[in-house]
Amino acid sequence: MDLLSKYKDNIVFLPFKSELKLLYLRYEDKYIRLLYNTADEVVYMSYSKAFVYRTIDTPQNIIGSITIILDRHLFGERYDKKSYIEGEILTKEHPMYIENVTNTFFETNEYIVHLYHYPNEYINIIKKANEEFLAIVGDETDASTQLIYGIKKIISYFNSCRNIYSLHCSAVKKNGKAFVFLAGSYSGKTTLFLNLIHNGYEPINDDIAFWKYHDNNIYIKGIPILFSKRKDKNGLIMSDGYLRAERDENQTDIYSNNVFCENVVDTVFIPEYGHVSSSIADFKSINIKKLLRACSIHSDLVADERFVQSINGLLTCSFRKLEMSNDYNDIIRCIMEAT
């Protein structure tokens, strides 16, 4: 027994090595290497278990690496998180605010480092090539959030190299056609997504999808990132047949291998809230800024010639306004009649 091992229980200022667990997350025929020290459930409530592997036979197919480190003692409980309403913009008047403490980021030639205090505390380090991602967090919820964020970053970069672009949306498919719902965060995309699945549509994803322009068509495909229950800000009434949007084992049944299949986009719906009854109307003009923002939420947008050509192709899709009442039963009936 060496001296360090003999007295390790009495030495508090020396670091002791701790092992990280290893898993592989499959995307198409590629893999993301995941190193983590959290409970396995954090992974399985973030990415469909059907696409998570302990070992793989093709290490050459690894497209990126994510490391998630959980340390409950690194971030102290300095404020009451219950005072934060999900989705709200924090100001200095908010109870959570601490004088002179702000979210910060640093940039070097190779890395971007984020130090977050609000609304949750964590550190993440992103390699600019988007092939490596490290996050240090204080609880399981942030571990899952950062894992999903890292997956989106790596897959978005991988796809962008193939002229396939990310889109902040929810999307479903039926009879070989894809239907896209373009809306902001906390706007009910997941609830709409789950209600449509409950009524016979197949999932693409509730928050991110990948699209390309080819042969005068827009093709879209998904990724088996799991959904999370969040309060929307529009006071919508859930459908009687609403599929509970909790993160639990039932989510693993939602995605199958066809989540990676490309589907031709039939219609892009733009939800609009506050109507007495639900209906669908044609758009006179498309807000190109809103569309570009949806393409840049999950990845750094590079507006090269190929992207410009692709976005012009996306604009040829059928865009329709989805005028929504506050009753999802009414909304779903309206969508089913139109699709």
Side-chain angles (χ1 to χ4, degrees):
M1 180 182 294
D2 60 50
L3 187 63
L4 188 60
S5 298
K6 183 177 180 180
Y7 294 103
K8 69 180 181 66
D9 292 334
N10 303 101
I11 300 173
V12 295
F13 296 113
L14 291 178
F16 289 89
K17 184 178 180 180
S18 180
E19 298 296 328
L20 295 173
K21 293 181 280 187
L22 172 64
L23 288 174
Y24 298 92
L25 313 179
R26 181 164 70 86
Y27 176 75
E28 299 179 351
D29 62 343
K30 307 297 182 182
Y31 297 90
I32 297 173
R33 181 193 293 110
L34 171 62
L35 297 164
Y36 65 105
N37 71 337
T38 68
D40 292 347
E41 286 71 21
V42 170
V43 180
Y44 298 137
M45 73 181 189
S46 306
Y47 206 74
S48 178
K49 194 171 183 178
F51 301 91
V52 179
Y53 300 83
R54 294 286 177 186
T55 60
I56 58 174
D57 297 325
T58 54
Q60 69 274 14
N61 284 355
I62 293 174
I63 58 172
S65 179
I66 295 173
T67 303
I68 304 292
I69 296 176
L70 170 64
D71 189 322
R72 300 183 191 281
H73 306 289
L74 191 61
F75 305 105
E77 290 291 334
R78 295 184 292 173
Y79 44 62
D80 183 10
K81 293 182 180 180
K82 294 180 180 179
S83 66
Y84 174 70
I85 300 173
E86 198 166 7
E88 72 175 321
I89 298 175
L90 290 178
T91 64
K92 289 186 176 181
E93 288 71 36
H94 197 281
M96 291 178 68
Y97 177 69
I98 300 172
E99 188 69 28
N100 298 323
V101 176
T102 61
N103 294 340
T104 310
F105 80 93
F106 305 92
E107 187 170 3
T108 70
N109 290 335
E110 295 184 73
Y111 298 97
I112 299 175
V113 181
H114 291 101
L115 306 179
Y116 272 86
H117 301 279
Y118 314 107
N120 297 315
E121 293 189 289
Y122 58 82
I123 300 167
N124 69 39
I125 303 172
I126 306 168
K127 189 174 182 179
K128 286 188 176 180
N130 286 334
E131 296 172 349
E132 294 182 17
F133 177 86
L134 165 68
I136 303 171
V137 300
D139 60 39
E140 284 84 357
T141 300
D142 288 343
S144 176
T145 299
Q146 288 298 294
L147 172 57
I148 290 172
Y149 180 70
I151 293 169
K152 290 175 178 177
K153 280 287 185 183
I154 289 173
I155 299 301
S156 294
Y157 176 75
F158 169 70
N159 277 329
S160 68
C161 296
R162 306 186 294 168
N163 298 318
I164 300 171
Y165 308 102
S166 67
L167 192 65
H168 184 219
C169 67
S170 64
V172 296
K173 55 188 175 181
K174 191 173 186 179
N175 299 326
K177 298 177 181 179
F179 304 96
V180 176
F181 299 86
L182 205 60
S185 299
Y186 306 96
S187 60
K189 292 193 306 298
T190 297
T191 307
L192 185 61
F193 170 83
L194 293 171
N195 273 281
L196 288 169
I197 292 172
H198 185 78
N199 285 278
Y201 292 78
E202 294 181 74
I204 292 178
N205 197 263
D206 73 303
D207 186 67
I208 183 172
F210 296 97
W211 64 278
K212 71 176 183 181
Y213 178 56
H214 181 68
D215 287 343
N216 296 320
N217 283 313
I218 295 296
Y219 294 87
I220 198 164
K221 60 184 176 180
I223 182 172
I225 290 174
L226 300 180
F227 54 83
S228 60
K229 185 178 181 180
R230 300 193 301 191
K231 295 179 180 179
D232 67 61
K233 55 190 177 185
N234 299 290
L236 301 178
I237 301 170
M238 305 308 178
S239 168
D240 294 338
Y242 176 57
L243 179 63
R244 298 293 178 188
E246 298 285 358
R247 287 188 171 182
D248 57 27
E249 292 179 357
N250 293 330
Q251 292 192 79
T252 60
D253 298 329
I254 289 180
Y255 292 107
S256 61
N257 271 322
N258 65 11
V259 68
F260 303 128
C261 295
E262 295 178 344
N263 303 269
V264 176
V265 173
D266 181 275
T267 307
V268 179
F269 292 101
I270 311 293
E272 186 178 90
Y273 303 94
H275 294 270
V276 176
S277 61
S278 299
S279 62
I280 293 174
D282 291 326
F283 258 110
K284 293 182 179 179
S285 61
I286 307 302
N287 187 332
I288 185 66
K289 289 184 179 179
K290 184 174 184 178
L291 192 59
L292 290 173
R293 175 168 172 75
C295 292
S296 60
I297 289 289
H298 297 302
S299 61
D300 298 324
L301 193 60
V302 179
D304 56 16
E305 184 178 348
R306 178 59 183 170
F307 176 77
V308 172
Q309 182 184 9
S310 297
I311 203 73
N312 285 331
L314 183 58
L315 288 168
T316 65
C317 285
S318 172
F319 282 80
R320 308 198 75 187
K321 185 190 301 183
L322 175 59
E323 298 176 342
M324 298 172 62
S325 67
N326 70 339
D327 184 352
Y328 262 104
N329 293 297
D330 182 40
I331 297 168
I332 298 302
R333 280 194 297 268
C334 180
I335 295 172
M336 293 181 70
E337 290 172 0
T339 58

